[in-house]
Amino acid sequence: MRIGIITTARPGLEHLAARAEELGFSSFWVYDTPMVHGDPFVALALCAKSTSRIKLGIGVTSPALRSAPAAAAALGSLNALAPDRVICGVGTGNTARRTLGMRPAKTVELESFTAALQDLTAGRESDHHEGTRSSRVRFLHVDGYVNTEDPVEFVVAAFGPKVAAVAGRLGTGMISFALHAPEAWSALGRARRAAARDAGNSEKAHTYLVSSLYVLGDGEDRYGDAVKDAMGHIAVSALLLAVEDPAFRAALPQEESAAVDRLLHLRGTTATDPNRHHTLYHNYLGRLSPEERDLVVPSLVDRFGLIGTRDELRERINALEKSGVEELVIQPVVNPEAEMAEIARLLP
């Protein structure tokens, strides 16, 4: 299985991208969460100039963040700096929208936005809508501005069969976050392939799983502070989703639901406060603070982290690969360079 690296977007990441390329990783991604992190296109432009092989990914942008022409111009510009190395993940903006106190985009908006990006970045025309007005748009000046000759790889952020079918209809790949159940990936793959067949698209596409990873030493506590520090950012993101989605919270076991209450107390807000996003998403996907380690209960570690001995991890990774995952994309948060070196030891 291929392995990539993901991190929060900020200027100055280029040395990490260069090191990731040196260590043999396949891809280097940044999140697109404007009110929490820096601009992903600025960060990856710097990374493009510091690397020559590694793929550069946006994980993920959304129709609720940018218009298709603006996003296509950013992608085309990045593609000019790193030809045939750009991956664009597209989702409904579940977190990026909630950090604004807004709802995610609808699936139909995700589909039309992704289709427009596919057309525009390939130099084709696309529909553009603003309110009741619509027009056909395309790049008017290409040479020296954007690259429409080399392909941009698109992947849709999927957690269930409905969005997996969007990926099939559009002929894109898929990316998902902390979805570690092989049976869930098998279901996504079936939904994508069925939709691809109906649309006359290729049934084969690249698939990426964003996760955390920690290799346990001999006798090391599976639920100790070092493990929590390595994967706590993902555990807390699950608790945040529970705040925002009552149905998701209702399905949580008691210890996780109690952790949601503790999170709200620590952040000094409530699930109904219209301004809760001001505190809930502070340091989102950043390193866990010591006072929040208690939120990472054992069941969250088991569900949302890839934690184990080297042999256990290889077994879990093999199971994910058989279910359809082609590339693991890991976020190092404590000591990124040292963690990347440790993760690289798992490369084939």
Side-chain angles (χ1 to χ4, degrees):
M1 183 183 286
R2 302 190 308 268
I3 300 183
I5 296 296
I6 190 167
T7 188
T8 52
R10 63 186 185 278
L13 284 180
E14 55 269 30
H15 75 284
L16 276 183
R19 182 61 178 145
E21 182 171 89
E22 231 175 68
L23 289 168
F25 291 105
S26 295
S27 59
F28 188 86
W29 301 66
V30 293
Y31 297 112
D32 187 8
T33 315
M35 293 294 99
V36 182
H37 307 140
D39 185 86
F41 294 103
V42 170
L44 289 184
L46 293 169
C47 294
K49 301 296 286 183
S50 302
T51 60
S52 61
R53 175 197 58 79
I54 198 167
K55 296 273 189 177
L56 303 173
I58 306 287
V60 299
T61 195
S62 164
L65 297 179
R66 296 177 180 82
S67 68
L75 289 165
S77 300
L78 186 59
N79 198 25
L81 293 173
D84 201 22
R85 292 200 284 140
V86 179
I87 312 171
C88 180
V90 188
T92 58
N94 184 63
T95 300
R97 288 289 286 167
R98 295 189 193 280
T99 62
L100 304 174
M102 300 293 174
R103 301 289 294 174
K106 296 177 181 177
T107 302
V108 65
E109 295 169 323
L110 164 67
E111 186 164 359
S112 62
F113 177 74
T114 307
L117 290 183
Q118 289 177 296
D119 285 337
L120 292 172
T121 57
R124 299 187 295 266
E125 284 191 353
S126 176
D127 289 323
H128 177 60
H129 303 278
E130 293 184 15
T132 59
R133 293 175 62 89
S134 64
S135 64
R136 296 288 288 173
V137 298
R138 59 181 171 82
F139 284 122
L140 304 179
H141 299 286
V142 177
D143 293 342
Y145 294 93
V146 295
N147 174 6
T148 59
E149 298 299 319
D150 294 291
V152 172
E153 179 186 344
F154 286 94
V155 292
V156 168
F159 291 90
K162 183 178 179 181
V163 180
V166 170
R169 287 194 295 272
L170 296 178
T172 74
M174 295 187 296
I175 187 169
S176 200
F177 186 82
L179 191 67
H180 296 128
E183 59 273 17
W185 275 99
S186 296
L188 291 181
R190 287 193 297 271
R192 189 208 169 276
R193 288 191 298 273
R197 282 195 299 272
D198 292 343
N201 292 325
S202 170
E203 294 182 34
K204 179 65 177 172
H206 294 309
T207 49
Y208 302 85
L209 169 59
V210 178
S211 185
S212 60
L213 185 147
Y214 186 86
V215 182
L216 291 171
D218 291 341
E220 186 173 5
D221 184 0
R222 185 178 295 270
Y223 308 110
D225 286 350
V227 171
K228 292 178 179 180
D229 289 346
M231 60 76 60
H233 58 292
I234 290 183
V236 170
S237 75
L239 299 179
L240 291 173
L241 178 59
V243 173
E244 305 286 15
D245 185 343
F248 179 74
R249 180 170 184 176
L252 295 181
Q254 184 176 357
E255 67 170 355
E256 293 178 16
S257 185
V260 175
D261 289 330
R262 293 199 300 276
L263 171 66
L264 289 167
H265 177 73
L266 283 171
R267 300 290 171 93
T269 189
T270 68
T272 57
D273 182 353
N275 292 316
R276 61 187 180 275
H277 57 286
H278 290 161
T279 54
L280 272 184
Y281 293 94
H282 177 72
N283 193 39
Y284 180 71
L285 292 176
R287 182 176 179 177
L288 193 72
S289 60
E291 60 270 21
E292 293 191 342
R293 284 177 179 150
D294 181 53
L295 300 174
V296 188
V297 296
S299 59
L300 289 174
V301 174
D302 294 337
R303 279 208 294 157
F304 295 109
L306 285 174
I307 313 299
T309 64
R310 200 170 300 278
D311 287 342
E312 287 171 338
L313 287 171
R314 288 202 174 104
E315 184 177 338
R316 290 189 69 183
I317 290 169
N318 286 339
L320 285 166
E321 188 170 26
K322 288 176 182 175
S323 71
V325 179
E326 288 185 316
E327 183 164 336
L328 279 175
V329 182
I330 305 299
Q331 181 182 351
V333 293
V334 180
N335 184 339
E337 291 196 50
E339 289 175 64
M340 287 197 306
E342 177 65 29
I343 295 165
R345 297 189 183 99
L346 292 174
L347 290 169

